[in-house]
Amino acid sequence: MAEALKVPTMAEYMAEGKKPEVLFWVGCAGSFDDRAKKITKAFVKLLHQAGVDFAVLGTEESCTGDPAKRAGNEFLFQMQAATNIEVLNGYEIKKVVTACPHCFNTLKNEYPALGGDYDVMHHTQFLKALLSEGRLKVEGGKFKGKKITFHDPCYLGRANGEYEAPRDLLRKLEVELVEMRKCKKNGLCCGAGGGQMFKEPEPGNKDVNIERTEQALETQPEIIAAGCPFCNTMMTDGVKNKEKEDSVAVMDVAELIANADDL
């Protein structure tokens, strides 16, 4: 199985004088967080299955600077962005796919002004494209008929207007898709945005992730589907807080597709 999960780096591609179809931007969570690594692996399996010629930056990839910028450190953000743009432009990267909406939003909307212009896709958009090109097959499998609710990541949904790609993929799994009362453009943040992921919440009556988890549990789902590693963490914590982890799973859309087919 180790062989099947071979992930080449851009440096290796350059050494062979080749260029990949797309650069997979892994992101901090997908690289270092044990839970998010599973999302990375699931997505890589799908890329292999679809025959996508891709590469990663490996140790040359640094944080996009999103947490620094959102927390108010514009100087650090610009330093991180400049370093990344130099690397990306050095490799003449044109197309980027990432499983993190924070990376997606920053690369897509904030790098162009600093000299980094790329065609950036969220992994659900990329998987949907592979599906419509007939390169990837998505069908029911073991999630067929299961009740699933999808939590919209802020930086995919409200910030970039993408609501349908993840839902289209879930429908292809032939699940029973149920919407929370706050969804799509009225969706509620998981509570991790704006650098909140890395600190304890301010004192209040209720944590944002608990409020959001309660809205998800109202739909009585078997699975809460996410499209962001931060959302995944916050919703998982919320489910644990409600002592529902035995009956409700929190999974990324890519994991659902990969697991439906037992990749």
Side-chain angles (χ1 to χ4, degrees):
M1 193 60 210
E3 189 51 42
L5 264 184
K6 179 150 175 47
V7 180
T9 62
M10 279 305 300
E12 289 166 2
Y13 263 82
M14 278 292 274
E16 291 173 28
K18 293 195 306 186
K19 274 193 183 170
E21 178 185 340
V22 66
L23 173 82
F24 172 28
W25 185 278
V26 184
C28 304
S31 302
F32 302 115
D33 180 82
D34 284 343
R35 174 64 188 88
K37 282 180 197 171
K38 293 178 181 171
I39 301 169
T40 304
K41 284 177 183 163
F43 184 55
V44 165
K45 284 176 186 174
L46 293 172
L47 291 175
H48 278 303
Q49 192 194 14
V52 177
D53 191 14
F54 74 99
V56 297
L57 286 175
T59 53
E60 292 185 274
E61 181 187 299
S62 170
C63 177
T64 59
D66 165 80
K69 187 178 179 78
R70 305 299 159 224
N73 195 338
E74 181 67 23
F75 178 64
L76 176 57
F77 161 70
Q78 296 220 4
M79 277 170 56
Q80 290 176 307
T83 306
N84 285 324
I85 288 167
E86 195 177 333
V87 171
L88 290 166
N89 290 353
Y91 283 125
E92 298 178 2
I93 298 294
K94 299 284 181 276
K95 191 168 185 177
V96 182
V97 62
T98 179
C100 174
H102 294 253
C103 299
F104 165 70
N105 179 69
T106 305
L107 292 166
K108 178 174 180 279
N109 299 321
E110 287 164 353
Y111 274 29
L114 301 168
D117 230 329
Y118 320 105
D119 174 14
V120 188
M121 296 178 88
H122 184 251
H123 70 315
T124 58
Q125 295 174 322
F126 193 70
L127 290 171
K128 187 183 167 182
L130 291 175
L131 196 70
S132 53
E133 288 164 19
R135 296 170 70 182
L136 186 70
K137 224 167 77 180
V138 179
E139 47 193 38
K142 60 170 142 179
F143 298 114
K144 191 171 179 173
K146 285 208 183 293
K147 204 172 183 187
I148 295 184
T149 190
F150 178 69
H151 163 75
D152 288 286
C154 295
Y155 278 122
L156 182 64
R158 290 177 300 180
N160 287 288
E162 179 62 81
Y163 303 107
E164 293 315 312
R167 286 175 172 82
D168 286 348
L169 292 167
L170 291 171
R171 285 189 198 102
K172 284 281 189 296
L173 290 173
E174 298 170 54
V175 304
E176 184 194 340
L177 187 60
V178 284
E179 295 291 1
M180 294 181 232
R181 55 189 168 88
K182 289 199 171 182
C183 65
K184 300 188 180 176
K185 65 176 187 288
N186 296 317
L188 183 72
C189 177
C190 70
Q196 295 287 337
M197 179 73 186
F198 306 101
K199 56 183 274 300
E200 289 304 312
E202 287 80 7
N205 298 328
K206 189 193 286 184
D207 290 354
V208 178
N209 69 313
I210 303 299
E211 174 70 24
R212 187 54 170 162
T213 304
E214 285 171 1
Q215 291 176 6
L217 294 176
E218 277 173 18
T219 67
Q220 299 183 307
E222 290 167 80
I223 298 167
I224 298 170
C228 168
F230 289 4
C231 297
N232 200 303
T233 297
M234 300 304 269
M235 300 305 279
T236 301
D237 286 352
V239 169
K240 282 178 183 163
N241 177 273
K242 296 291 175 190
E243 297 181 351
K244 288 266 194 274
E245 63 263 48
D246 293 337
S247 56
V248 181
V250 180
M251 294 177 79
D252 189 86
V253 175
E255 292 180 302
L256 288 165
I257 297 170
N259 291 353
D261 212 12
D262 275 330
L263 282 184

